[in-house]
Amino acid sequence: MVLFTKMTNSEEQTYWTQRYKEERTGWDIGAPSAPLKTYIDQLEDKNISILLPGAGNAYEAEYLFELGFKNTYVMDISEFPLKQFQKRNPEVDASRLLHENFFDHQKQYDLILEQTFFCSFVPLDENRNAYAKQMANLLKKNGKLVGLWFDIPLTGDLEKRPFGGNKELYLKYLSPFLKVKIFEQCYNSIPPRMGSELFGIFHKK
């Protein structure tokens, strides 16, 4: 049995920076994921405020900016992917790039897009409960959390992040804070991930 321990803010920042620098980013598909792109294509109000926490290379954010969703914010605990994003998208205002710890952030949003961010945390009850509570805190009234969660066995290896889970496990943490609208297997995952992603839409309670 693996015993996980909580990482400090500094340890998390160092860990993720190193992985980005070494390009150990097997989760990165190099483009907006099909399920989130499909959802974004249905959005009509380009004035809504949108947050992408733990965004990494943030291809979904690039797509949002291209479509005219200017009130979009990209957050990561590591400054490295944010700088890479700025290089690729010099026209994006630097104030939209947030080098912060998700748990310290306080602004509220109409929409939060989750790209397997939950699965990046050391899988402790403390971390997962804090994630769900903070997601609710960061949503405005009637705000939505929309995104992808890996439907794969929970790995016991810190170097094999993202960590997995299943629908029942995720709902255990999310349901106390968020109302479920949709939470099902993705029908439009990329072929390598077909059958291993859950797509969810949650409303603030």
Side-chain angles (χ1 to χ4, degrees):
M1 180 178 178
V2 176
L3 294 177
F4 292 108
T5 58
K6 187 175 177 64
M7 296 176 73
T8 66
N9 185 72
S10 177
E11 287 171 336
E12 288 278 8
Q13 184 171 330
T14 299
Y15 173 86
W16 290 109
T17 297
Q18 198 65 27
R19 287 197 66 161
Y20 282 111
K21 285 183 175 179
E22 295 175 0
E23 297 185 356
R24 291 186 293 124
T25 52
W27 64 86
D28 190 317
I29 62 175
S33 63
L36 289 182
K37 183 176 183 294
T38 299
Y39 180 80
I40 290 169
D41 287 341
Q42 299 172 48
L43 296 175
E44 296 180 355
D45 184 358
K46 294 188 176 179
N47 294 314
I48 60 171
S49 55
I50 305 173
L51 174 68
L52 292 88
N57 287 315
Y59 303 111
E60 288 79 14
E62 282 190 42
Y63 187 60
L64 284 161
F65 283 119
E66 287 172 6
L67 293 179
F69 290 89
K70 302 300 184 184
N71 200 14
T72 296
Y73 294 82
V74 181
M75 177 188 292
D76 205 280
I77 196 168
S78 170
E79 194 174 18
F80 186 82
L82 297 175
K83 287 183 175 180
Q84 297 299 105
F85 183 92
Q86 186 81 85
K87 287 179 182 178
R88 298 196 314 270
N89 303 276
E91 73 284 355
V92 172
D93 190 326
S95 67
R96 302 300 188 201
L97 307 180
L98 309 176
H99 177 213
E100 293 184 37
N101 185 321
F102 165 74
F103 297 106
D104 295 333
H105 195 60
Q106 296 184 4
K107 187 176 177 181
Q108 289 188 314
Y109 300 85
D110 298 302
L111 173 64
I112 299 177
L113 291 180
E114 149 73 85
Q115 174 64 280
T116 63
F117 178 48
F118 177 101
C119 302
S120 70
F121 294 107
V122 176
L124 300 170
D125 279 343
E126 177 185 355
N127 288 342
R128 292 184 156 187
N129 279 319
Y131 162 98
K133 183 177 181 180
Q134 178 68 343
M135 280 294 185
N137 289 339
L138 295 180
L139 288 173
K140 295 179 181 179
K141 183 179 180 181
N142 301 319
K144 295 178 184 178
L145 168 63
V146 177
L148 297 172
W149 288 259
F150 277 126
D151 188 15
I152 57 177
L154 178 64
T155 175
D157 186 343
L158 275 174
E159 286 304 308
K160 290 186 178 179
R161 299 196 208 189
F163 297 107
N166 56 44
K167 182 176 179 178
E168 181 181 5
L169 182 145
Y170 297 136
L171 289 178
K172 168 188 170 183
Y173 295 104
L174 295 170
S175 294
F177 303 98
L178 299 162
K179 182 179 179 181
V180 184
K181 182 178 181 182
I182 295 171
F183 198 39
E184 302 294 343
Q185 281 277 345
C186 288
Y187 69 88
N188 57 349
S189 298
I190 61 172
R193 293 188 182 177
M194 191 62 68
S196 63
E197 288 183 310
L198 295 164
F199 175 78
I201 300 177
F202 299 85
H203 291 261
K204 182 168 183 172
K205 282 189 173 180

